[in-house]
Amino acid sequence: MIIVLKPDISKKEEAAVLKEIKRLGYKPHVMRGVERTVIGAIGDERTQRNLDVLASWKQVESVTPIQKRYKLVSREAHKADSTVKVRGQLIGGKKFQVMAGPCSVESETQLLTTAHAVKKAGATVLRGGAFKPRTSPYEFQGLGEKGLKLLSKARKETGLAIITELLSEQHADLVAEHADILQIGARNAQNFQLLIAAARTGKPVLLKRGLSMKIEEWLLAGEYVLAHDNPGLLFCERGIRTFETYTRNTLDLSTIPILKKESHCPVVIDPSQGVGRADLVVAMCKGAVAMGADALLIEVHPNPSEAWSDGAQQVTLEGFTRLMEEIRPFIAAAGRD
Amino acid sequence: MIIVLKPDISKKEEAAVLKEIKRLGYKPHVMRGVERTVIGAIGDERTQRNLDVLASWKQVESVTPIQKRYKLVSREAHKADSTVKVRGQLIGGKKFQVMAGPCSVESETQLLTTAHAVKKAGATVLRGGAFKPRTSPYEFQGLGEKGLKLLSKARKETGLAIITELLSEQHADLVAEHADILQIGARNAQNFQLLIAAARTGKPVLLKRGLSMKIEEWLLAGEYVLAHDNPGLLFCERGIRTFETYTRNTLDLSTIPILKKESHCPVVIDPSQGVGRADLVVAMCKGAVAMGADALLIEVHPNPSEAWSDGAQQVTLEGFTRLMEEIRPFIAAAGRD
Amino acid sequence: MIIVLKPDISKKEEAAVLKEIKRLGYKPHVMRGVERTVIGAIGDERTQRNLDVLASWKQVESVTPIQKRYKLVSREAHKADSTVKVRGQLIGGKKFQVMAGPCSVESETQLLTTAHAVKKAGATVLRGGAFKPRTSPYEFQGLGEKGLKLLSKARKETGLAIITELLSEQHADLVAEHADILQIGARNAQNFQLLIAAARTGKPVLLKRGLSMKIEEWLLAGEYVLAHDNPGLLFCERGIRTFETYTRNTLDLSTIPILKKESHCPVVIDPSQGVGRADLVVAMCKGAVAMGADALLIEVHPNPSEAWSDGAQQVTLEGFTRLMEEIRPFIAAAGRD
Amino acid sequence: MIIVLKPDISKKEEAAVLKEIKRLGYKPHVMRGVERTVIGAIGDERTQRNLDVLASWKQVESVTPIQKRYKLVSREAHKADSTVKVRGQLIGGKKFQVMAGPCSVESETQLLTTAHAVKKAGATVLRGGAFKPRTSPYEFQGLGEKGLKLLSKARKETGLAIITELLSEQHADLVAEHADILQIGARNAQNFQLLIAAARTGKPVLLKRGLSMKIEEWLLAGEYVLAHDNPGLLFCERGIRTFETYTRNTLDLSTIPILKKESHCPVVIDPSQGVGRADLVVAMCKGAVAMGADALLIEVHPNPSEAWSDGAQQVTLEGFTRLMEEIRPFIAAAGRD
């Protein structure tokens, strides 16, 4: 911790700060500058009491932490890229992966049609929501267990791995029974109890970024998964909330090089939620591939205008096939398969 | 819904939109303007399929909903202010209420000292976290059930009502056993399963605004509580996330007149989380009182520099007594007791 | 400056950093912590080269400035509140001041009717735009010099001081001839050439906060005025841009206690721009008064529905008279006249 | 304009709205829905009075514009991509262009070394600031006219076109004399007087996006250039301000497909300002190329650690040569030369 003192304070006021730093278990180190005195408080910030409180003292100007607060997710802890294996496919390896499927599971026909089509176009994971978090209590909330069973059926028929959202701690075992990857949605990105419940199932966890989550908070939320003995963590950028209203969210592609620098975990991009408009999805995918993402998560629906949720952002089956064609040269340029 | 068509589209493209509107159960109403054609789709937007999907059609420029999506929380549904009764005290009535106490329950001494002090200064509700949502898995997570029991003890000794946070659906009954008001934190503001679990306990629910939650989304999250037959809803503004880094959050006091206009539910302001600095809390409280808030939620600690969480934003016992003195003339000016 | 080094770097890499710090004129001071080494670079950050560049060095984790970058606007430079005298009225003194008038000057009748009405209700400064910055080139751009002459006439008739916006360096002398206070709008808050031109006229300058301006940047923009030998600086909060769309902007009232803490200059609040809706203006004014603002800047129009700009946020003449009545008890509670 | 009325209003209140709409020159068109009545006001929103003011009427719930407010910059006005010719090079054509050079012009050696190096690596335009907008009045403000002359000299020696920032209306002729493209910086993006002055020089104008500028506002600011008879407009995304603090700004690459959809003008991406960290620049460039940008604007310095401004975000000469190599396969994949 670095504590900056105000100018013109008395010796006594300075001594009080030094005493408090020692009392809280740190070793103070004083540097006298041109106008201000700066104190370095040496000790392990992760295990000791936080010195933030000093910020409210009259004689203190600011308190700045030095250590990174995340550990297991950090690149320092694990120099090489980590990979997550799902039904024989490696996410985070040389092969670029595509996860695709409808926003919500609606019916057997809708799901199986989509599953066969996305498989044919090259996807290896099928997405589909069985439990849906909806802004309004009056909107369709998902088929629940029935949806999970349809997902299992689709896996059996196509061999695709399944990713679906976990909404409630109480469903953790049930969802893990059917899914190969548990998705934690943006609204639950700091629902730590849910993260722990997901981690405990042992299944890989895809953690979406919260709507206004800083990179550091996202890494720390991921830390909850690794700290509960589950190494299968995937980070998924899905757009943040900004002042811009043209798109539903602002898809922050800079997270790709940042996460690659700070962490060893695979990075997935969700352009469908990210921009909320099917007509912008292809361009966002190209950018994501070029910048080094490990996988995409794309909403695909046989007939978006009949979708029970988020129709505007789902691409058609033909649209998806075309998209896969269009990103191919960029996958090659990025040195991936 | 209002659907705006692009200029220069063909008759056939227009007809396709009209057909789809009808198919989805709405009655289309065409208006031809100077450059563009606008279609009003008449029908109940809350019960029928959403027309959003049309936004992705080539011939459509935009789709705008007309109806408000919330119902039970709205001022239209309940013209008079609603009040929430807690241990004989009315929140939302003529008497201005103050809820105060430590960020976390740490020990019997800490809690009881605080409880007696805030009661003496005029508070009627004691706050204190037993289960704490922490950004990092390595930070203090609260005393749990032991903390709840200390809160019960404090109530018995002082007669203060208790408010504490509910973090997990699985704790709903346990927390409801000890608390008079269940707090849903900002990070869980759109954890709909938790909202439902809280509503079902029958205890009043204080719903904090999420870090980047629009007013409409907040009202809809509140709708989950009322729609699950619990009329005891309090909205609590606690600051939103913006680009400004001087304060921890930006406390949006405009929510007071806005919520009073849109909804009948009482409005509580949390200046401690809102600005994250004890030295700014008094000024924020004065503003909240003057603008018509029904209650304040303030973090108070006997010794903030020893607090196990969020020390920088907790005021001292003497600070709290002074604060209560300082806001008194504004309570009077606002016509409250 | 505080430079944090990465863990596990070589002696040689550390030495290179120390050498560079010295080369740039600072004295390095090394602190070895548990995991990381921290270097304090001692020297005057305002006069010497910035060390930010070290942040891009491989062996460096972060670089944090210690000194505040603003000087003349700071509370440290001038412990007492400063005041700005305008036509015999003191802004920043014991008397609470209200500036009111139309968004744009439209006609002699419109302006004089408003001027007499706001004077009668208690305002001491008349606002009115002669040069208007408009988002679209096709919108009304103001009456220009003709508008300035009408403002002069209104001053002569009513004795009210005049505040009006300066849009262009080339108009500085012309506007200063007619105005008692020059307003720098939000879109020009970091148009430093304009700030310098305004400062040089010698007239008081009211500096609005930019739409996404951090407090520190705002203070530094104000520093441009004081550094060009003009002591008559007023800061005016007018709302920042956030994700919320219910209001036009988010009026950040926490700036009142923050500016009072960091600076000695008077603080003005503009609720009309801040929320963009006349029906919320009264509540925002009450909050501003209670929190210690020195003055309000309010848009008033004899017939808002005929206004040539920003009709939705202007209050009527009767509305303004009522507003002045309603804030009176809060002015008293705040200890102002 | 679409005006939504509140439920339960009287016939008289509705009639008043209809009357006002007519008085302001629109033809009202009434649609009665399930709960609310909606009025379409038909007329040219760009030439007639704005109906926004109705939003403050008691019986009105909302007012929504229908027409796009921009005209000349829109894709509707000019279906084909427009191109801007600069010293024989086409920006917006098949050839992908790179503009590179130092943040500030510091000396002849610094500038010429950089110019030769970036030319050799493939750049066709040299950037360099002569007039610098600095947050603090105490920071280096640029070499001014001396800097412009050095830029002219560099053009003469290398044949590179020159882009440099215009800060003040009063410098328009001087800067236009030396530059091939005038840059309008983010802080001046809504300094309309400056935009007009730039347009009038007849030189191409590169308009950076303001820190919190919505797409629509950006297009409208561009409209100021085209409306003043200058067809040479380039839009340049340089990052927006969000809550994230890891990067200096959040580079919004979704603007590439959005601008391509809404407008015909070329799109330039500035990753250096966008992320503010040299180590992330290459990845951002790859994304921009893949997504269809027409050009990049990159800060390059022979020795970033000695730069007089923004050292942390400038890449070295070798770094730039490497960058050009790394983006080559993506330029090919995007079908550009």
Side-chain angles (χ1 to χ4, degrees):
Chain A
M1 291 278 180
I2 299 295
I3 295 99
V4 181
L5 300 182
K6 290 214 177 125
D8 310 325
I9 63 165
S10 69
K11 282 277 158 213
K12 210 177 132 193
E13 287 172 311
E14 181 181 314
V17 174
L18 293 172
K19 197 176 152 199
E20 183 70 11
I21 290 172
K22 283 183 207 153
R23 201 182 63 79
L24 291 169
Y26 293 84
K27 196 173 142 230
H29 186 117
V30 179
M31 284 184 292
R32 304 205 182 278
V34 173
E35 279 189 354
R36 282 165 169 76
T37 293
V38 173
I39 306 170
I42 295 171
D44 194 332
E45 298 170 11
R46 277 191 300 256
T47 55
Q48 274 157 307
R49 205 70 64 72
N50 200 301
L51 292 170
D52 271 3
V53 65
L54 287 170
S56 64
W57 287 33
K58 261 187 326 192
Q59 62 268 54
V60 172
E61 194 159 289
S62 67
V63 177
T64 313
I66 292 305
Q67 280 183 311
K68 289 190 180 174
R69 295 159 73 201
Y70 45 93
K71 218 167 176 162
L72 304 173
V73 298
S74 78
R75 184 63 86 176
E76 290 167 21
H78 192 283
K79 305 269 183 227
D81 287 350
S82 61
T83 55
V84 174
K85 199 166 192 172
V86 182
R87 301 245 143 213
Q89 296 288 339
L90 228 47
I91 303 174
K94 188 160 168 58
K95 187 174 167 204
F96 188 83
Q97 303 284 359
V98 178
M99 314 179 182
C103 178
S104 303
V105 178
E106 294 165 12
S107 72
E108 186 165 337
T109 319
Q110 172 241 25
L111 188 66
L112 291 182
T113 314
T114 310
H116 285 291
V118 301
K119 188 181 179 182
K120 198 175 156 202
T124 50
V125 181
L126 177 67
R127 58 153 291 156
F131 294 99
K132 300 295 302 173
R134 302 307 301 269
T135 305
S136 157
Y138 309 121
E139 291 169 328
F140 171 60
Q141 313 269 327
L143 293 182
E145 190 168 357
K146 194 181 148 202
L148 293 176
K149 285 179 179 161
L150 290 175
L151 287 165
S152 273
K153 186 164 187 188
R155 173 174 49 212
K156 215 170 151 188
E157 281 215 12
T158 61
L160 291 168
I162 298 297
I163 178 169
T164 195
E165 181 161 354
L166 176 67
L167 263 195
S168 163
E169 300 162 58
Q170 291 171 333
H171 302 151
D173 291 336
L174 175 66
V175 175
E177 202 181 297
H178 295 277
D180 299 298
I181 308 174
L182 302 184
Q183 175 180 316
I184 301 293
R187 289 179 191 77
N188 281 314
Q190 288 189 302
N191 177 349
F192 305 118
Q193 305 308 305
L194 188 66
L195 282 166
I196 294 169
R200 286 193 176 140
T201 66
K203 290 282 170 112
V205 175
L206 178 139
L207 174 59
K208 291 209 171 180
R209 184 182 186 184
L211 273 77
S212 61
M213 213 174 186
K214 294 189 186 191
I215 305 272
E216 191 198 21
E217 294 169 332
W218 194 14
L219 290 164
L220 280 165
E223 189 85 10
Y224 269 91
V225 175
L226 269 60
H228 285 83
D229 298 321
N230 185 331
L233 177 66
L234 307 164
F235 286 106
C236 179
E237 162 71 21
R238 46 78 71 206
I240 53 172
R241 185 160 274 185
T242 68
F243 60 83
E244 181 59 65
T245 51
Y246 189 96
T247 44
R248 185 163 164 180
N249 295 293
T250 297
L251 188 68
D252 181 6
L253 292 174
S254 75
T255 49
I256 303 171
I258 294 171
L259 288 173
K260 287 292 171 195
K261 191 183 162 90
E262 297 293 333
S263 176
H264 52 86
C265 299
V267 178
V268 183
I269 298 293
D270 174 351
S272 305
Q273 288 282 343
V275 290
R277 299 171 52 134
D279 58 349
L280 301 175
V281 165
V282 175
M284 302 317 292
C285 287
K286 290 178 184 172
V289 169
M291 292 173 68
D294 296 300
L296 293 169
L297 181 63
I298 301 173
E299 296 191 7
V300 180
H301 194 283
N303 185 356
S305 73
E306 292 193 338
W308 295 358
S309 59
D310 287 346
Q313 70 198 31
Q314 304 195 53
V315 299
T316 59
L317 303 183
E318 304 73 46
F320 180 69
T321 307
R322 228 163 29 234
L323 181 156
M324 293 294 277
E325 285 308 317
E326 290 194 43
I327 65 173
R328 207 171 300 269
F330 296 98
I331 294 176
R336 307 290 275 258
D337 300 332
Chain B
M1 290 277 178
I2 298 295
I3 295 99
V4 182
L5 300 182
K6 290 212 178 128
D8 310 324
I9 63 167
S10 69
K11 283 275 158 213
K12 208 178 132 194
E13 287 172 311
E14 183 182 315
V17 175
L18 292 173
K19 197 177 153 200
E20 183 69 12
I21 289 171
K22 282 182 208 150
R23 201 183 64 78
L24 291 169
Y26 293 83
K27 196 172 143 233
H29 186 118
V30 179
M31 285 184 292
R32 303 205 183 276
V34 174
E35 280 190 354
R36 283 165 168 76
T37 293
V38 173
I39 305 170
I42 296 172
D44 194 333
E45 299 171 10
R46 278 192 299 255
T47 54
Q48 272 156 306
R49 204 69 64 69
N50 200 302
L51 293 170
D52 270 3
V53 66
L54 287 170
S56 64
W57 287 33
K58 260 188 326 194
Q59 62 268 54
V60 172
E61 194 160 290
S62 68
V63 177
T64 314
I66 290 305
Q67 280 184 313
K68 289 192 179 173
R69 295 160 72 200
Y70 44 92
K71 219 166 175 166
L72 303 173
V73 298
S74 77
R75 183 63 85 175
E76 290 167 21
H78 191 284
K79 304 268 183 227
D81 286 351
S82 61
T83 56
V84 173
K85 198 165 192 174
V86 182
R87 300 244 143 213
Q89 296 288 339
L90 228 47
I91 303 173
K94 188 160 167 61
K95 188 176 168 201
F96 188 84
Q97 302 284 359
V98 178
M99 313 179 181
C103 178
S104 303
V105 177
E106 295 166 11
S107 72
E108 184 166 338
T109 319
Q110 173 243 23
L111 188 66
L112 291 182
T113 312
T114 310
H116 285 291
V118 301
K119 187 181 181 182
K120 197 174 156 204
T124 50
V125 181
L126 177 66
R127 60 153 288 157
F131 295 98
K132 299 296 301 172
R134 301 308 300 271
T135 304
S136 158
Y138 308 121
E139 291 168 328
F140 171 60
Q141 312 270 327
L143 293 183
E145 189 169 357
K146 195 181 148 201
L148 293 175
K149 285 181 179 160
L150 290 175
L151 286 166
S152 274
K153 185 162 187 188
R155 172 172 50 210
K156 212 169 153 191
E157 281 215 11
T158 60
L160 290 168
I162 299 297
I163 178 169
T164 195
E165 182 162 354
L166 176 67
L167 262 195
S168 162
E169 300 161 57
Q170 292 173 332
H171 302 151
D173 291 336
L174 177 66
V175 175
E177 203 182 298
H178 295 278
D180 299 297
I181 308 174
L182 302 184
Q183 175 180 316
I184 301 293
R187 288 178 191 77
N188 281 314
Q190 289 189 302
N191 177 350
F192 305 118
Q193 306 307 306
L194 189 65
L195 283 166
I196 295 169
R200 287 193 175 141
T201 66
K203 290 282 170 112
V205 176
L206 178 139
L207 174 59
K208 291 208 169 181
R209 184 182 186 184
L211 273 76
S212 61
M213 212 175 188
K214 294 190 187 191
I215 305 270
E216 190 197 22
E217 293 169 332
W218 194 13
L219 290 164
L220 280 165
E223 189 85 11
Y224 269 91
V225 175
L226 268 61
H228 285 83
D229 299 320
N230 184 332
L233 178 65
L234 307 163
F235 286 106
C236 178
E237 161 72 23
R238 47 75 74 205
I240 53 171
R241 185 159 274 184
T242 68
F243 60 82
E244 181 59 64
T245 52
Y246 190 96
T247 45
R248 186 163 165 180
N249 295 293
T250 297
L251 188 67
D252 181 6
L253 293 175
S254 75
T255 50
I256 303 171
I258 294 171
L259 287 173
K260 287 291 173 196
K261 189 183 165 89
E262 296 293 333
S263 175
H264 52 87
C265 299
V267 178
V268 183
I269 297 293
D270 174 352
S272 305
Q273 288 282 343
V275 290
R277 300 173 52 136
D279 58 349
L280 301 177
V281 165
V282 175
M284 301 317 292
C285 288
K286 289 178 185 172
V289 168
M291 291 173 69
D294 296 300
L296 293 169
L297 181 63
I298 301 173
E299 295 191 7
V300 180
H301 194 284
N303 185 354
S305 73
E306 292 194 339
W308 294 358
S309 59
D310 288 345
Q313 69 198 32
Q314 305 195 53
V315 299
T316 60
L317 303 183
E318 304 74 45
F320 180 69
T321 307
R322 227 162 31 232
L323 181 155
M324 293 294 276
E325 285 307 318
E326 290 194 43
I327 63 173
R328 207 170 300 269
F330 296 97
I331 293 175
R336 308 291 277 256
D337 301 331
Chain C
M1 290 279 177
I2 299 295
I3 295 98
V4 181
L5 301 181
K6 291 214 177 122
D8 310 324
I9 63 166
S10 69
K11 283 277 159 211
K12 209 177 133 195
E13 287 172 312
E14 181 181 316
V17 175
L18 292 172
K19 196 176 154 201
E20 184 69 12
I21 289 172
K22 281 182 207 152
R23 202 183 62 79
L24 291 170
Y26 292 83
K27 197 172 142 233
H29 186 118
V30 179
M31 285 184 293
R32 303 205 182 279
V34 173
E35 279 190 354
R36 282 166 168 77
T37 294
V38 173
I39 305 170
I42 296 172
D44 194 332
E45 297 170 11
R46 278 191 300 256
T47 55
Q48 272 156 309
R49 204 70 63 71
N50 200 301
L51 292 170
D52 270 2
V53 65
L54 287 170
S56 65
W57 286 34
K58 262 189 323 194
Q59 62 268 55
V60 172
E61 194 159 290
S62 68
V63 177
T64 314
I66 291 305
Q67 281 184 312
K68 290 191 180 173
R69 294 159 73 201
Y70 45 90
K71 218 166 177 165
L72 303 173
V73 298
S74 77
R75 183 63 86 175
E76 289 167 20
H78 191 284
K79 305 268 183 228
D81 286 351
S82 61
T83 55
V84 173
K85 198 165 192 173
V86 182
R87 301 244 144 212
Q89 296 288 339
L90 228 46
I91 303 173
K94 190 161 167 59
K95 188 175 168 202
F96 188 84
Q97 303 284 359
V98 178
M99 312 179 183
C103 179
S104 302
V105 178
E106 294 165 12
S107 71
E108 186 166 337
T109 319
Q110 173 241 25
L111 188 66
L112 291 182
T113 313
T114 310
H116 284 291
V118 301
K119 186 178 182 185
K120 198 175 155 203
T124 50
V125 182
L126 177 67
R127 59 153 289 157
F131 294 99
K132 300 295 302 171
R134 301 308 300 270
T135 305
S136 158
Y138 308 121
E139 291 169 327
F140 171 59
Q141 311 270 326
L143 293 183
E145 190 169 357
K146 194 181 147 201
L148 293 176
K149 284 179 179 162
L150 290 175
L151 287 166
S152 272
K153 186 163 185 187
R155 172 172 51 210
K156 214 170 153 190
E157 279 214 12
T158 60
L160 291 168
I162 299 297
I163 178 169
T164 196
E165 181 162 354
L166 176 67
L167 262 196
S168 162
E169 300 162 57
Q170 293 172 332
H171 302 152
D173 291 337
L174 176 67
V175 175
E177 203 182 298
H178 295 277
D180 299 298
I181 307 174
L182 302 184
Q183 175 180 317
I184 302 293
R187 289 179 191 77
N188 281 314
Q190 288 189 303
N191 177 350
F192 304 118
Q193 305 308 306
L194 189 66
L195 283 166
I196 294 170
R200 286 191 177 141
T201 66
K203 290 282 168 112
V205 176
L206 178 140
L207 175 59
K208 291 207 170 180
R209 185 182 186 184
L211 273 78
S212 61
M213 212 174 186
K214 293 190 186 189
I215 305 271
E216 191 198 20
E217 294 169 332
W218 194 13
L219 290 164
L220 280 165
E223 190 84 13
Y224 269 91
V225 176
L226 269 61
H228 285 83
D229 298 321
N230 184 332
L233 178 65
L234 307 164
F235 286 108
C236 178
E237 162 71 22
R238 47 77 71 206
I240 53 172
R241 185 160 274 185
T242 68
F243 60 83
E244 182 59 64
T245 51
Y246 190 96
T247 44
R248 184 163 165 179
N249 295 293
T250 298
L251 188 67
D252 181 5
L253 292 175
S254 76
T255 50
I256 303 171
I258 293 170
L259 287 173
K260 288 292 173 196
K261 190 182 163 91
E262 295 293 331
S263 176
H264 52 85
C265 299
V267 178
V268 182
I269 297 294
D270 174 352
S272 306
Q273 288 282 343
V275 290
R277 300 172 51 135
D279 58 349
L280 301 176
V281 165
V282 175
M284 301 316 293
C285 288
K286 289 179 184 171
V289 169
M291 292 174 69
D294 295 301
L296 294 169
L297 181 64
I298 301 173
E299 294 191 8
V300 180
H301 194 284
N303 185 354
S305 73
E306 293 194 338
W308 296 357
S309 60
D310 287 346
Q313 69 197 30
Q314 305 195 51
V315 298
T316 59
L317 303 183
E318 304 72 46
F320 180 69
T321 306
R322 227 161 34 231
L323 181 155
M324 292 294 277
E325 285 309 317
E326 290 194 43
I327 63 173
R328 207 172 299 270
F330 297 98
I331 293 176
R336 307 291 276 258
D337 301 331
Chain D
M1 291 277 178
I2 299 294
I3 294 98
V4 181
L5 300 182
K6 290 212 176 126
D8 310 323
I9 63 166
S10 69
K11 282 277 159 208
K12 208 177 133 194
E13 287 172 312
E14 183 182 315
V17 175
L18 293 172
K19 196 175 153 199
E20 183 70 11
I21 290 172
K22 282 181 208 153
R23 201 181 64 77
L24 291 169
Y26 292 84
K27 196 172 142 233
H29 185 117
V30 179
M31 285 185 293
R32 305 206 181 277
V34 173
E35 279 190 352
R36 282 166 169 76
T37 294
V38 173
I39 306 170
I42 296 172
D44 193 332
E45 298 170 10
R46 277 191 300 255
T47 55
Q48 273 156 309
R49 204 69 65 68
N50 200 301
L51 293 170
D52 271 3
V53 64
L54 287 170
S56 65
W57 286 32
K58 263 188 324 195
Q59 61 268 53
V60 172
E61 194 159 289
S62 68
V63 177
T64 314
I66 291 304
Q67 281 185 312
K68 289 190 179 174
R69 295 160 71 201
Y70 44 93
K71 219 167 176 164
L72 303 173
V73 298
S74 78
R75 183 62 86 177
E76 290 168 20
H78 191 284
K79 305 268 182 225
D81 286 350
S82 60
T83 56
V84 173
K85 196 163 193 175
V86 182
R87 302 244 143 214
Q89 295 288 337
L90 228 47
I91 304 173
K94 190 160 167 60
K95 188 174 167 201
F96 188 84
Q97 303 285 359
V98 178
M99 313 179 182
C103 179
S104 303
V105 177
E106 295 166 10
S107 72
E108 186 166 336
T109 319
Q110 173 242 23
L111 188 66
L112 291 181
T113 314
T114 310
H116 284 291
V118 302
K119 185 178 182 184
K120 199 175 155 204
T124 50
V125 182
L126 177 67
R127 59 154 290 157
F131 295 99
K132 299 295 302 171
R134 301 308 301 270
T135 305
S136 158
Y138 309 121
E139 291 169 327
F140 171 60
Q141 312 270 327
L143 293 182
E145 190 170 356
K146 195 182 147 199
L148 293 175
K149 285 180 178 160
L150 290 175
L151 288 165
S152 274
K153 186 165 186 185
R155 171 173 50 210
K156 213 170 153 189
E157 281 214 13
T158 60
L160 290 168
I162 299 297
I163 178 169
T164 195
E165 180 162 355
L166 176 66
L167 262 195
S168 162
E169 300 162 59
Q170 292 173 333
H171 302 151
D173 291 335
L174 176 66
V175 175
E177 203 181 298
H178 295 278
D180 299 298
I181 308 174
L182 303 185
Q183 174 180 317
I184 302 293
R187 290 179 191 77
N188 282 314
Q190 288 189 302
N191 177 351
F192 304 117
Q193 305 308 305
L194 189 66
L195 283 165
I196 294 170
R200 286 192 175 142
T201 66
K203 290 283 170 110
V205 176
L206 178 140
L207 174 60
K208 292 207 169 182
R209 184 182 186 185
L211 274 78
S212 61
M213 213 173 186
K214 294 188 185 190
I215 306 270
E216 190 199 20
E217 295 169 331
W218 195 13
L219 290 165
L220 280 165
E223 189 85 10
Y224 269 91
V225 175
L226 269 60
H228 284 84
D229 298 319
N230 185 332
L233 177 66
L234 307 163
F235 286 107
C236 178
E237 163 71 23
R238 46 75 74 205
I240 53 171
R241 185 159 274 184
T242 68
F243 60 83
E244 181 59 66
T245 52
Y246 189 96
T247 44
R248 184 162 164 180
N249 295 292
T250 297
L251 188 67
D252 181 5
L253 293 174
S254 75
T255 49
I256 303 171
I258 294 171
L259 287 173
K260 287 292 172 196
K261 191 183 164 87
E262 297 292 333
S263 176
H264 52 86
C265 299
V267 178
V268 182
I269 297 294
D270 174 351
S272 306
Q273 288 281 343
V275 290
R277 299 172 52 136
D279 58 349
L280 302 175
V281 165
V282 175
M284 302 317 293
C285 289
K286 289 178 185 171
V289 169
M291 292 173 68
D294 295 299
L296 293 169
L297 180 63
I298 301 173
E299 295 191 6
V300 180
H301 194 283
N303 185 355
S305 74
E306 292 194 337
W308 296 357
S309 59
D310 287 345
Q313 69 198 33
Q314 305 195 52
V315 299
T316 59
L317 303 183
E318 303 73 46
F320 180 69
T321 307
R322 227 162 31 233
L323 180 155
M324 292 294 277
E325 285 309 317
E326 290 193 43
I327 64 173
R328 207 170 300 268
F330 296 98
I331 293 175
R336 307 292 275 258
D337 301 330

